[in-house]
Amino acid sequence: MASVRLESVVKRFGKVVAVNNVSLEIRDKEFFILLGPSGCGKTTTLRLIAGLEYPDSGRIYIDDRDVTFLEPKDRDIAMVFQNYALYPHMTVFQNIAFPLLLRRKKLGLTKDDIKKRVLEVARLLRIEELLHRKPGQLSGGQQQRVALARALIRRPKVWLMDEPLSNLDALLRLVMRAELKRLQKELGITTIYVTHDQAEALSMADRIAVMNKGRVIQVGTPDEVYLKPKHVFVGTFIGAPPMNVVKCKIEDHDGRLILSCPGFEREFPPGITPKKLPRTKEVVLGIRPEFIEVTDKPEPGTIKGKILVVEPLGSETILNININPEGEETIIKAKLPKLTKKYSAGETIYLKIDWSKVAVFDAETGFALT
Ligand code: ATP
């Protein structure tokens, strides 16, 4: 059993508030990901949980034990950080075995047990052939996998990982994501994982905390943060390409709420009437590129647009469309599964938006109105 709880944690570096009143509850056996742009406070949050930093205020609990000011060694955690410090004079095998050798008696392990564990984890990370080498004889990506192996060989209460796959090539990254997720589920070790890569977060996490400027903006399953972003920041940070945003005004036409948007007007989509109209009467529509279809001919409710750029991506195609050809350029990206027709720049097309999937945000605060 290992849950981790942060209660109103604040960490400042001089004037910078790196972690701003963060409260989180990470459940036992959960694969929990801290996701956000560079500088949002992910690493600092992880370092606070590890005990490499102490908070200015707030408390941190592992399994209801207050660990806020305990040293890392007293927290029963294993960590792997971006800057993987391997012991240069030891072989890869010795580096990986080291955490177990240190505690061999306490853990009741024989040398053969340790060897077996090293081989297992080396196989998982595709580094069996490197076990006799020294870190200086490895590439950056290989060193990173050795560092990861050294953390994974332990069976602590909590694994803490900071971008552990960042130095691997794209293909190996995909393989490792799946392997890591499988191992985590097999062993059931509560894991807190930091990344700025939204695809990595969506593919691996049980739940994701999306952070920005030291704050947690939303916590949810990958589906929740993807389909029901609480803030425009979440919608535009997650997704490839990210959510389209279109700023519109709300106008009251004899009691009917009309959205006046660049290039089109329409009634407020059914089912997404805001609970409270924003103060400024301005909203941002969040439209995911895959919830847009295109047709050659106008149909009721379609929006006219002009193709600016076509981006073929193999299994899908992204169209960059200006939906306001007569006014200020407003570009929307549409993701089409597979083109039956070849589109080219300059063509006029018509967009069919799935309004049931559109998010509406307060233009002033960025928070979802739906
Ligand atoms: P990245 O993805 O780039 O690693 P991050 O989300 O992990 O970013 P943090 O490393 O937690 O962000 O940094 C949060 C903020 O705190 C940043 O503004 C950073 O400059 C600042 N910061 C972090 N560590 C220190 C430090 N030791 N001294 C001063 N400022 C720091």
Side-chain angles (χ1 to χ4, degrees), residues 30-33 148 161 164-165 173-182 184-185 191 193-195 197-208 222:
E30 194 165 37
F31 200 131
F32 192 89
I33 292 193
L148 186 54
M161 304 186 189
L165 310 179
R173 234 178 131 129
L174 286 183
V175 175
M176 288 299 138
R177 267 190 211 167
E179 293 283 10
L180 198 53
K181 187 171 166 175
R182 197 178 82 188
Q184 192 272 339
K185 285 287 159 258
T191 300
Y193 185 108
V194 161
T195 183
D197 179 341
Q198 55 89 31
E200 193 164 284
L202 290 177
S203 72
M204 293 174 92
D206 292 316
R207 284 189 310 147
I208 300 171

PDB file of all heavy atoms in Angstrom, residues 30-33 148 161 164-165 173-182 184-185 191 193-195 197-208 222:
ATOM      1  N   GLU A  30      -1.110   3.632  -8.402  1.00  0.00           N
ATOM      2  CA  GLU A  30      -1.473   4.479  -9.533  1.00  0.00           C
ATOM      3  C   GLU A  30      -0.233   4.886 -10.335  1.00  0.00           C
ATOM      4  O   GLU A  30       0.834   5.104  -9.782  1.00  0.00           O
ATOM      5  CB  GLU A  30      -2.177   5.733  -9.014  1.00  0.00           C
ATOM      6  CG  GLU A  30      -2.874   6.511 -10.094  1.00  0.00           C
ATOM      7  CD  GLU A  30      -3.855   7.543  -9.530  1.00  0.00           C
ATOM      8  OE1 GLU A  30      -3.573   8.165  -8.487  1.00  0.00           O
ATOM      9  OE2 GLU A  30      -4.895   7.722 -10.148  1.00  0.00           O
ATOM     10  N   PHE A  31      -0.412   5.013 -11.659  1.00  0.00           N
ATOM     11  CA  PHE A  31       0.600   5.625 -12.523  1.00  0.00           C
ATOM     12  C   PHE A  31       0.131   7.063 -12.720  1.00  0.00           C
ATOM     13  O   PHE A  31      -0.803   7.320 -13.474  1.00  0.00           O
ATOM     14  CB  PHE A  31       0.690   4.882 -13.858  1.00  0.00           C
ATOM     15  CG  PHE A  31       1.989   5.120 -14.591  1.00  0.00           C
ATOM     16  CD1 PHE A  31       2.721   4.039 -15.088  1.00  0.00           C
ATOM     17  CD2 PHE A  31       2.502   6.397 -14.764  1.00  0.00           C
ATOM     18  CE1 PHE A  31       3.930   4.235 -15.754  1.00  0.00           C
ATOM     19  CE2 PHE A  31       3.697   6.609 -15.417  1.00  0.00           C
ATOM     20  CZ  PHE A  31       4.408   5.529 -15.911  1.00  0.00           C
ATOM     21  N   PHE A  32       0.764   7.965 -12.010  1.00  0.00           N
ATOM     22  CA  PHE A  32       0.292   9.349 -11.956  1.00  0.00           C
ATOM     23  C   PHE A  32       1.310  10.244 -12.651  1.00  0.00           C
ATOM     24  O   PHE A  32       2.499  10.190 -12.366  1.00  0.00           O
ATOM     25  CB  PHE A  32       0.136   9.762 -10.492  1.00  0.00           C
ATOM     26  CG  PHE A  32      -0.605  11.056 -10.301  1.00  0.00           C
ATOM     27  CD1 PHE A  32      -1.994  11.063 -10.169  1.00  0.00           C
ATOM     28  CD2 PHE A  32       0.075  12.266 -10.274  1.00  0.00           C
ATOM     29  CE1 PHE A  32      -2.678  12.256  -9.997  1.00  0.00           C
ATOM     30  CE2 PHE A  32      -0.611  13.459 -10.106  1.00  0.00           C
ATOM     31  CZ  PHE A  32      -1.984  13.454  -9.968  1.00  0.00           C
ATOM     32  N   ILE A  33       0.842  11.066 -13.576  1.00  0.00           N
ATOM     33  CA  ILE A  33       1.783  11.888 -14.356  1.00  0.00           C
ATOM     34  C   ILE A  33       1.576  13.376 -14.095  1.00  0.00           C
ATOM     35  O   ILE A  33       0.445  13.872 -14.093  1.00  0.00           O
ATOM     36  CB  ILE A  33       1.660  11.557 -15.862  1.00  0.00           C
ATOM     37  CG1 ILE A  33       2.185  10.135 -16.091  1.00  0.00           C
ATOM     38  CG2 ILE A  33       2.427  12.580 -16.714  1.00  0.00           C
ATOM     39  CD1 ILE A  33       2.435   9.733 -17.512  1.00  0.00           C
ATOM     40  N   LEU A 148      17.566   4.274 -15.443  1.00  0.00           N
ATOM     41  CA  LEU A 148      16.200   3.805 -15.232  1.00  0.00           C
ATOM     42  C   LEU A 148      16.217   2.394 -14.622  1.00  0.00           C
ATOM     43  O   LEU A 148      15.481   2.098 -13.681  1.00  0.00           O
ATOM     44  CB  LEU A 148      15.455   3.827 -16.579  1.00  0.00           C
ATOM     45  CG  LEU A 148      13.972   3.517 -16.586  1.00  0.00           C
ATOM     46  CD1 LEU A 148      13.209   4.412 -15.617  1.00  0.00           C
ATOM     47  CD2 LEU A 148      13.394   3.687 -17.998  1.00  0.00           C
ATOM     48  N   MET A 161       9.869   9.490 -11.213  1.00  0.00           N
ATOM     49  CA  MET A 161      10.624   9.539 -12.481  1.00  0.00           C
ATOM     50  C   MET A 161      10.455  10.888 -13.146  1.00  0.00           C
ATOM     51  O   MET A 161       9.330  11.349 -13.349  1.00  0.00           O
ATOM     52  CB  MET A 161      10.107   8.456 -13.426  1.00  0.00           C
ATOM     53  CG  MET A 161      10.160   7.090 -12.832  1.00  0.00           C
ATOM     54  SD  MET A 161       9.713   5.854 -14.028  1.00  0.00           S
ATOM     55  CE  MET A 161       9.605   4.439 -12.929  1.00  0.00           C
ATOM     56  N   PRO A 164      12.202  10.177 -17.748  1.00  0.00           N
ATOM     57  CA  PRO A 164      13.219   9.124 -17.842  1.00  0.00           C
ATOM     58  C   PRO A 164      13.457   8.623 -19.267  1.00  0.00           C
ATOM     59  O   PRO A 164      14.405   7.884 -19.489  1.00  0.00           O
ATOM     60  CB  PRO A 164      12.650   8.001 -16.973  1.00  0.00           C
ATOM     61  CG  PRO A 164      11.182   8.192 -17.041  1.00  0.00           C
ATOM     62  CD  PRO A 164      10.959   9.669 -17.135  1.00  0.00           C
ATOM     63  N   LEU A 165      12.616   9.016 -20.207  1.00  0.00           N
ATOM     64  CA  LEU A 165      12.791   8.532 -21.580  1.00  0.00           C
ATOM     65  C   LEU A 165      13.215   9.644 -22.536  1.00  0.00           C
ATOM     66  O   LEU A 165      13.244   9.453 -23.749  1.00  0.00           O
ATOM     67  CB  LEU A 165      11.476   7.901 -22.085  1.00  0.00           C
ATOM     68  CG  LEU A 165      10.809   6.857 -21.179  1.00  0.00           C
ATOM     69  CD1 LEU A 165       9.513   6.361 -21.808  1.00  0.00           C
ATOM     70  CD2 LEU A 165      11.742   5.683 -20.933  1.00  0.00           C
ATOM     71  N   ARG A 173      11.510   5.098 -27.563  1.00  0.00           N
ATOM     72  CA  ARG A 173      10.634   5.763 -26.590  1.00  0.00           C
ATOM     73  C   ARG A 173       9.270   5.112 -26.541  1.00  0.00           C
ATOM     74  O   ARG A 173       8.717   4.848 -25.485  1.00  0.00           O
ATOM     75  CB  ARG A 173      10.466   7.212 -27.044  1.00  0.00           C
ATOM     76  CG  ARG A 173      10.808   8.211 -26.013  1.00  0.00           C
ATOM     77  CD  ARG A 173      10.635   9.578 -26.597  1.00  0.00           C
ATOM     78  NE  ARG A 173       9.847  10.320 -25.639  1.00  0.00           N
ATOM     79  CZ  ARG A 173      10.203  11.514 -25.177  1.00  0.00           C
ATOM     80  NH1 ARG A 173      11.275  12.098 -25.616  1.00  0.00           N
ATOM     81  NH2 ARG A 173       9.453  12.127 -24.287  1.00  0.00           N
ATOM     82  N   LEU A 174       8.748   4.829 -27.740  1.00  0.00           N
ATOM     83  CA  LEU A 174       7.430   4.187 -27.820  1.00  0.00           C
ATOM     84  C   LEU A 174       7.462   2.805 -27.183  1.00  0.00           C
ATOM     85  O   LEU A 174       6.557   2.432 -26.446  1.00  0.00           O
ATOM     86  CB  LEU A 174       6.992   4.054 -29.280  1.00  0.00           C
ATOM     87  CG  LEU A 174       6.537   5.321 -29.988  1.00  0.00           C
ATOM     88  CD1 LEU A 174       6.061   4.993 -31.390  1.00  0.00           C
ATOM     89  CD2 LEU A 174       5.417   6.001 -29.209  1.00  0.00           C
ATOM     90  N   VAL A 175       8.545   2.055 -27.469  1.00  0.00           N
ATOM     91  CA  VAL A 175       8.667   0.704 -26.914  1.00  0.00           C
ATOM     92  C   VAL A 175       8.762   0.798 -25.392  1.00  0.00           C
ATOM     93  O   VAL A 175       8.085   0.083 -24.666  1.00  0.00           O
ATOM     94  CB  VAL A 175       9.927   0.006 -27.489  1.00  0.00           C
ATOM     95  CG1 VAL A 175      10.138  -1.340 -26.837  1.00  0.00           C
ATOM     96  CG2 VAL A 175       9.811  -0.138 -28.998  1.00  0.00           C
ATOM     97  N   MET A 176       9.603   1.717 -24.908  1.00  0.00           N
ATOM     98  CA  MET A 176       9.858   1.837 -23.469  1.00  0.00           C
ATOM     99  C   MET A 176       8.602   2.285 -22.696  1.00  0.00           C
ATOM    100  O   MET A 176       8.385   1.860 -21.580  1.00  0.00           O
ATOM    101  CB  MET A 176      10.987   2.838 -23.205  1.00  0.00           C
ATOM    102  CG  MET A 176      12.347   2.323 -23.585  1.00  0.00           C
ATOM    103  SD  MET A 176      12.781   0.861 -22.637  1.00  0.00           S
ATOM    104  CE  MET A 176      13.512  -0.130 -23.885  1.00  0.00           C
ATOM    105  N   ARG A 177       7.841   3.173 -23.323  1.00  0.00           N
ATOM    106  CA  ARG A 177       6.589   3.609 -22.693  1.00  0.00           C
ATOM    107  C   ARG A 177       5.738   2.410 -22.319  1.00  0.00           C
ATOM    108  O   ARG A 177       5.261   2.285 -21.208  1.00  0.00           O
ATOM    109  CB  ARG A 177       5.759   4.393 -23.724  1.00  0.00           C
ATOM    110  CG  ARG A 177       5.939   5.848 -23.740  1.00  0.00           C
ATOM    111  CD  ARG A 177       4.836   6.373 -24.651  1.00  0.00           C
ATOM    112  NE  ARG A 177       5.231   7.566 -25.340  1.00  0.00           N
ATOM    113  CZ  ARG A 177       4.576   8.088 -26.376  1.00  0.00           C
ATOM    114  NH1 ARG A 177       3.517   7.504 -26.866  1.00  0.00           N
ATOM    115  NH2 ARG A 177       4.987   9.196 -26.926  1.00  0.00           N
ATOM    116  N   ALA A 178       5.561   1.528 -23.323  1.00  0.00           N
ATOM    117  CA  ALA A 178       4.695   0.366 -23.113  1.00  0.00           C
ATOM    118  C   ALA A 178       5.302  -0.582 -22.087  1.00  0.00           C
ATOM    119  O   ALA A 178       4.600  -1.103 -21.210  1.00  0.00           O
ATOM    120  CB  ALA A 178       4.463  -0.347 -24.443  1.00  0.00           C
ATOM    121  N   GLU A 179       6.627  -0.784 -22.164  1.00  0.00           N
ATOM    122  CA  GLU A 179       7.308  -1.711 -21.231  1.00  0.00           C
ATOM    123  C   GLU A 179       7.202  -1.192 -19.790  1.00  0.00           C
ATOM    124  O   GLU A 179       6.954  -1.939 -18.862  1.00  0.00           O
ATOM    125  CB  GLU A 179       8.787  -1.845 -21.600  1.00  0.00           C
ATOM    126  CG  GLU A 179       9.044  -2.522 -22.931  1.00  0.00           C
ATOM    127  CD  GLU A 179       8.888  -4.030 -22.865  1.00  0.00           C
ATOM    128  OE1 GLU A 179       8.398  -4.542 -21.851  1.00  0.00           O
ATOM    129  OE2 GLU A 179       9.250  -4.697 -23.856  1.00  0.00           O
ATOM    130  N   LEU A 180       7.407   0.097 -19.660  1.00  0.00           N
ATOM    131  CA  LEU A 180       7.388   0.702 -18.326  1.00  0.00           C
ATOM    132  C   LEU A 180       5.993   0.610 -17.710  1.00  0.00           C
ATOM    133  O   LEU A 180       5.828   0.301 -16.532  1.00  0.00           O
ATOM    134  CB  LEU A 180       7.819   2.166 -18.479  1.00  0.00           C
ATOM    135  CG  LEU A 180       8.273   2.904 -17.241  1.00  0.00           C
ATOM    136  CD1 LEU A 180       9.362   2.136 -16.543  1.00  0.00           C
ATOM    137  CD2 LEU A 180       8.806   4.289 -17.635  1.00  0.00           C
ATOM    138  N   LYS A 181       5.029   0.865 -18.547  1.00  0.00           N
ATOM    139  CA  LYS A 181       3.641   0.808 -18.082  1.00  0.00           C
ATOM    140  C   LYS A 181       3.291  -0.622 -17.659  1.00  0.00           C
ATOM    141  O   LYS A 181       2.661  -0.839 -16.620  1.00  0.00           O
ATOM    142  CB  LYS A 181       2.739   1.266 -19.227  1.00  0.00           C
ATOM    143  CG  LYS A 181       1.295   1.414 -18.851  1.00  0.00           C
ATOM    144  CD  LYS A 181       0.542   2.082 -19.973  1.00  0.00           C
ATOM    145  CE  LYS A 181      -0.944   1.942 -19.775  1.00  0.00           C
ATOM    146  NZ  LYS A 181      -1.703   2.681 -20.775  1.00  0.00           N
ATOM    147  N   ARG A 182       3.758  -1.596 -18.459  1.00  0.00           N
ATOM    148  CA  ARG A 182       3.462  -2.987 -18.132  1.00  0.00           C
ATOM    149  C   ARG A 182       4.115  -3.387 -16.811  1.00  0.00           C
ATOM    150  O   ARG A 182       3.474  -3.973 -15.943  1.00  0.00           O
ATOM    151  CB  ARG A 182       3.977  -3.885 -19.269  1.00  0.00           C
ATOM    152  CG  ARG A 182       3.359  -5.263 -19.220  1.00  0.00           C
ATOM    153  CD  ARG A 182       3.822  -6.115 -20.354  1.00  0.00           C
ATOM    154  NE  ARG A 182       5.115  -6.684 -20.050  1.00  0.00           N
ATOM    155  CZ  ARG A 182       5.856  -7.356 -20.925  1.00  0.00           C
ATOM    156  NH1 ARG A 182       5.442  -7.502 -22.153  1.00  0.00           N
ATOM    157  NH2 ARG A 182       7.006  -7.861 -20.566  1.00  0.00           N
ATOM    158  N   GLN A 184       5.052  -1.462 -14.373  1.00  0.00           N
ATOM    159  CA  GLN A 184       4.423  -0.737 -13.255  1.00  0.00           C
ATOM    160  C   GLN A 184       3.134  -1.439 -12.839  1.00  0.00           C
ATOM    161  O   GLN A 184       2.849  -1.590 -11.661  1.00  0.00           O
ATOM    162  CB  GLN A 184       4.156   0.713 -13.678  1.00  0.00           C
ATOM    163  CG  GLN A 184       3.773   1.642 -12.534  1.00  0.00           C
ATOM    164  CD  GLN A 184       2.285   1.687 -12.243  1.00  0.00           C
ATOM    165  OE1 GLN A 184       1.466   1.333 -13.100  1.00  0.00           O
ATOM    166  NE2 GLN A 184       1.931   2.125 -11.056  1.00  0.00           N
ATOM    167  N   LYS A 185       2.371  -1.880 -13.820  1.00  0.00           N
ATOM    168  CA  LYS A 185       1.104  -2.550 -13.511  1.00  0.00           C
ATOM    169  C   LYS A 185       1.354  -3.928 -12.899  1.00  0.00           C
ATOM    170  O   LYS A 185       0.661  -4.344 -11.979  1.00  0.00           O
ATOM    171  CB  LYS A 185       0.243  -2.671 -14.776  1.00  0.00           C
ATOM    172  CG  LYS A 185      -0.392  -1.354 -15.189  1.00  0.00           C
ATOM    173  CD  LYS A 185      -1.547  -0.951 -14.257  1.00  0.00           C
ATOM    174  CE  LYS A 185      -1.843   0.519 -14.311  1.00  0.00           C
ATOM    175  NZ  LYS A 185      -1.334   1.328 -13.194  1.00  0.00           N
ATOM    176  N   THR A 191       3.501   5.154  -8.853  1.00  0.00           N
ATOM    177  CA  THR A 191       4.515   5.844  -9.651  1.00  0.00           C
ATOM    178  C   THR A 191       4.097   7.276  -9.947  1.00  0.00           C
ATOM    179  O   THR A 191       2.950   7.523 -10.352  1.00  0.00           O
ATOM    180  CB  THR A 191       4.733   5.078 -10.978  1.00  0.00           C
ATOM    181  OG1 THR A 191       5.163   3.757 -10.671  1.00  0.00           O
ATOM    182  CG2 THR A 191       5.776   5.756 -11.861  1.00  0.00           C
ATOM    183  N   TYR A 193       5.353  10.407 -12.285  1.00  0.00           N
ATOM    184  CA  TYR A 193       6.183  10.520 -13.479  1.00  0.00           C
ATOM    185  C   TYR A 193       6.016  11.916 -14.052  1.00  0.00           C
ATOM    186  O   TYR A 193       4.895  12.394 -14.224  1.00  0.00           O
ATOM    187  CB  TYR A 193       5.676   9.457 -14.445  1.00  0.00           C
ATOM    188  CG  TYR A 193       6.401   9.252 -15.739  1.00  0.00           C
ATOM    189  CD1 TYR A 193       7.178   8.117 -15.938  1.00  0.00           C
ATOM    190  CD2 TYR A 193       6.277  10.140 -16.794  1.00  0.00           C
ATOM    191  CE1 TYR A 193       7.816   7.883 -17.148  1.00  0.00           C
ATOM    192  CE2 TYR A 193       6.919   9.914 -17.998  1.00  0.00           C
ATOM    193  CZ  TYR A 193       7.683   8.778 -18.175  1.00  0.00           C
ATOM    194  OH  TYR A 193       8.314   8.548 -19.373  1.00  0.00           O
ATOM    195  N   VAL A 194       7.127  12.574 -14.326  1.00  0.00           N
ATOM    196  CA  VAL A 194       7.083  13.943 -14.846  1.00  0.00           C
ATOM    197  C   VAL A 194       7.381  13.946 -16.339  1.00  0.00           C
ATOM    198  O   VAL A 194       8.336  13.305 -16.779  1.00  0.00           O
ATOM    199  CB  VAL A 194       8.137  14.805 -14.118  1.00  0.00           C
ATOM    200  CG1 VAL A 194       8.465  16.057 -14.913  1.00  0.00           C
ATOM    201  CG2 VAL A 194       7.657  15.191 -12.725  1.00  0.00           C
ATOM    202  N   THR A 195       6.584  14.646 -17.103  1.00  0.00           N
ATOM    203  CA  THR A 195       6.893  14.816 -18.525  1.00  0.00           C
ATOM    204  C   THR A 195       6.265  16.105 -19.054  1.00  0.00           C
ATOM    205  O   THR A 195       5.292  16.594 -18.504  1.00  0.00           O
ATOM    206  CB  THR A 195       6.413  13.604 -19.365  1.00  0.00           C
ATOM    207  OG1 THR A 195       6.801  13.801 -20.719  1.00  0.00           O
ATOM    208  CG2 THR A 195       4.919  13.414 -19.313  1.00  0.00           C
ATOM    209  N   ASP A 197       5.646  15.953 -22.334  1.00  0.00           N
ATOM    210  CA  ASP A 197       5.173  15.360 -23.582  1.00  0.00           C
ATOM    211  C   ASP A 197       3.745  14.838 -23.374  1.00  0.00           C
ATOM    212  O   ASP A 197       3.525  13.832 -22.710  1.00  0.00           O
ATOM    213  CB  ASP A 197       6.135  14.226 -23.953  1.00  0.00           C
ATOM    214  CG  ASP A 197       5.737  13.503 -25.227  1.00  0.00           C
ATOM    215  OD1 ASP A 197       4.564  13.607 -25.636  1.00  0.00           O
ATOM    216  OD2 ASP A 197       6.588  12.817 -25.794  1.00  0.00           O
ATOM    217  N   GLN A 198       2.802  15.555 -23.962  1.00  0.00           N
ATOM    218  CA  GLN A 198       1.396  15.219 -23.721  1.00  0.00           C
ATOM    219  C   GLN A 198       1.036  13.823 -24.243  1.00  0.00           C
ATOM    220  O   GLN A 198       0.223  13.130 -23.650  1.00  0.00           O
ATOM    221  CB  GLN A 198       0.485  16.305 -24.287  1.00  0.00           C
ATOM    222  CG  GLN A 198       0.669  16.632 -25.762  1.00  0.00           C
ATOM    223  CD  GLN A 198      -0.167  15.779 -26.653  1.00  0.00           C
ATOM    224  OE1 GLN A 198      -1.245  15.363 -26.270  1.00  0.00           O
ATOM    225  NE2 GLN A 198       0.339  15.497 -27.854  1.00  0.00           N
ATOM    226  N   ALA A 199       1.672  13.403 -25.341  1.00  0.00           N
ATOM    227  CA  ALA A 199       1.355  12.077 -25.894  1.00  0.00           C
ATOM    228  C   ALA A 199       1.822  10.994 -24.918  1.00  0.00           C
ATOM    229  O   ALA A 199       1.121   9.998 -24.686  1.00  0.00           O
ATOM    230  CB  ALA A 199       2.033  11.904 -27.251  1.00  0.00           C
ATOM    231  N   GLU A 200       2.994  11.216 -24.329  1.00  0.00           N
ATOM    232  CA  GLU A 200       3.514  10.267 -23.337  1.00  0.00           C
ATOM    233  C   GLU A 200       2.554  10.184 -22.143  1.00  0.00           C
ATOM    234  O   GLU A 200       2.212   9.114 -21.670  1.00  0.00           O
ATOM    235  CB  GLU A 200       4.885  10.764 -22.877  1.00  0.00           C
ATOM    236  CG  GLU A 200       5.671   9.747 -22.109  1.00  0.00           C
ATOM    237  CD  GLU A 200       7.140  10.139 -22.031  1.00  0.00           C
ATOM    238  OE1 GLU A 200       7.831   9.966 -23.059  1.00  0.00           O
ATOM    239  OE2 GLU A 200       7.586  10.634 -20.987  1.00  0.00           O
ATOM    240  N   ALA A 201       2.094  11.342 -21.703  1.00  0.00           N
ATOM    241  CA  ALA A 201       1.189  11.379 -20.548  1.00  0.00           C
ATOM    242  C   ALA A 201      -0.117  10.658 -20.869  1.00  0.00           C
ATOM    243  O   ALA A 201      -0.581   9.823 -20.090  1.00  0.00           O
ATOM    244  CB  ALA A 201       0.920  12.824 -20.144  1.00  0.00           C
ATOM    245  N   LEU A 202      -0.694  10.957 -22.026  1.00  0.00           N
ATOM    246  CA  LEU A 202      -1.975  10.328 -22.377  1.00  0.00           C
ATOM    247  C   LEU A 202      -1.819   8.823 -22.487  1.00  0.00           C
ATOM    248  O   LEU A 202      -2.697   8.063 -22.086  1.00  0.00           O
ATOM    249  CB  LEU A 202      -2.499  10.877 -23.712  1.00  0.00           C
ATOM    250  CG  LEU A 202      -2.992  12.322 -23.725  1.00  0.00           C
ATOM    251  CD1 LEU A 202      -3.407  12.727 -25.131  1.00  0.00           C
ATOM    252  CD2 LEU A 202      -4.161  12.536 -22.762  1.00  0.00           C
ATOM    253  N   SER A 203      -0.680   8.371 -23.025  1.00  0.00           N
ATOM    254  CA  SER A 203      -0.547   6.941 -23.292  1.00  0.00           C
ATOM    255  C   SER A 203      -0.195   6.138 -22.035  1.00  0.00           C
ATOM    256  O   SER A 203      -0.465   4.955 -21.980  1.00  0.00           O
ATOM    257  CB  SER A 203       0.499   6.695 -24.381  1.00  0.00           C
ATOM    258  OG  SER A 203       1.782   6.936 -23.871  1.00  0.00           O
ATOM    259  N   MET A 204       0.427   6.779 -21.048  1.00  0.00           N
ATOM    260  CA  MET A 204       0.899   5.982 -19.907  1.00  0.00           C
ATOM    261  C   MET A 204       0.074   6.129 -18.633  1.00  0.00           C
ATOM    262  O   MET A 204       0.011   5.212 -17.826  1.00  0.00           O
ATOM    263  CB  MET A 204       2.337   6.384 -19.565  1.00  0.00           C
ATOM    264  CG  MET A 204       3.335   6.027 -20.627  1.00  0.00           C
ATOM    265  SD  MET A 204       4.954   6.691 -20.190  1.00  0.00           S
ATOM    266  CE  MET A 204       5.636   5.308 -19.321  1.00  0.00           C
ATOM    267  N   ALA A 205      -0.520   7.285 -18.422  1.00  0.00           N
ATOM    268  CA  ALA A 205      -1.037   7.605 -17.091  1.00  0.00           C
ATOM    269  C   ALA A 205      -2.375   6.949 -16.773  1.00  0.00           C
ATOM    270  O   ALA A 205      -3.216   6.765 -17.655  1.00  0.00           O
ATOM    271  CB  ALA A 205      -1.199   9.115 -16.961  1.00  0.00           C
ATOM    272  N   ASP A 206      -2.565   6.629 -15.488  1.00  0.00           N
ATOM    273  CA  ASP A 206      -3.920   6.368 -14.996  1.00  0.00           C
ATOM    274  C   ASP A 206      -4.618   7.714 -14.840  1.00  0.00           C
ATOM    275  O   ASP A 206      -5.744   7.884 -15.242  1.00  0.00           O
ATOM    276  CB  ASP A 206      -3.880   5.658 -13.640  1.00  0.00           C
ATOM    277  CG  ASP A 206      -3.329   4.253 -13.763  1.00  0.00           C
ATOM    278  OD1 ASP A 206      -3.732   3.557 -14.707  1.00  0.00           O
ATOM    279  OD2 ASP A 206      -2.483   3.865 -12.934  1.00  0.00           O
ATOM    280  N   ARG A 207      -3.890   8.645 -14.209  1.00  0.00           N
ATOM    281  CA  ARG A 207      -4.416  10.011 -14.099  1.00  0.00           C
ATOM    282  C   ARG A 207      -3.282  11.007 -14.334  1.00  0.00           C
ATOM    283  O   ARG A 207      -2.115  10.699 -14.090  1.00  0.00           O
ATOM    284  CB  ARG A 207      -5.034  10.253 -12.715  1.00  0.00           C
ATOM    285  CG  ARG A 207      -6.410   9.598 -12.575  1.00  0.00           C
ATOM    286  CD  ARG A 207      -7.096  10.021 -11.291  1.00  0.00           C
ATOM    287  NE  ARG A 207      -6.225   9.858 -10.149  1.00  0.00           N
ATOM    288  CZ  ARG A 207      -6.244  10.660  -9.076  1.00  0.00           C
ATOM    289  NH1 ARG A 207      -7.101  11.668  -9.006  1.00  0.00           N
ATOM    290  NH2 ARG A 207      -5.432  10.440  -8.054  1.00  0.00           N
ATOM    291  N   ILE A 208      -3.676  12.180 -14.795  1.00  0.00           N
ATOM    292  CA  ILE A 208      -2.704  13.223 -15.133  1.00  0.00           C
ATOM    293  C   ILE A 208      -3.047  14.475 -14.325  1.00  0.00           C
ATOM    294  O   ILE A 208      -4.218  14.835 -14.208  1.00  0.00           O
ATOM    295  CB  ILE A 208      -2.809  13.567 -16.637  1.00  0.00           C
ATOM    296  CG1 ILE A 208      -2.518  12.337 -17.501  1.00  0.00           C
ATOM    297  CG2 ILE A 208      -1.877  14.723 -17.015  1.00  0.00           C
ATOM    298  CD1 ILE A 208      -2.822  12.533 -18.986  1.00  0.00           C
ATOM    299  N   PRO A 222      -6.742  10.362 -18.633  1.00  0.00           N
ATOM    300  CA  PRO A 222      -6.404  10.896 -19.956  1.00  0.00           C
ATOM    301  C   PRO A 222      -7.649  11.331 -20.735  1.00  0.00           C
ATOM    302  O   PRO A 222      -7.657  12.399 -21.361  1.00  0.00           O
ATOM    303  CB  PRO A 222      -5.684   9.733 -20.630  1.00  0.00           C
ATOM    304  CG  PRO A 222      -5.032   9.008 -19.496  1.00  0.00           C
ATOM    305  CD  PRO A 222      -6.010   9.106 -18.352  1.00  0.00           C
TER     306      PRO A 222
END
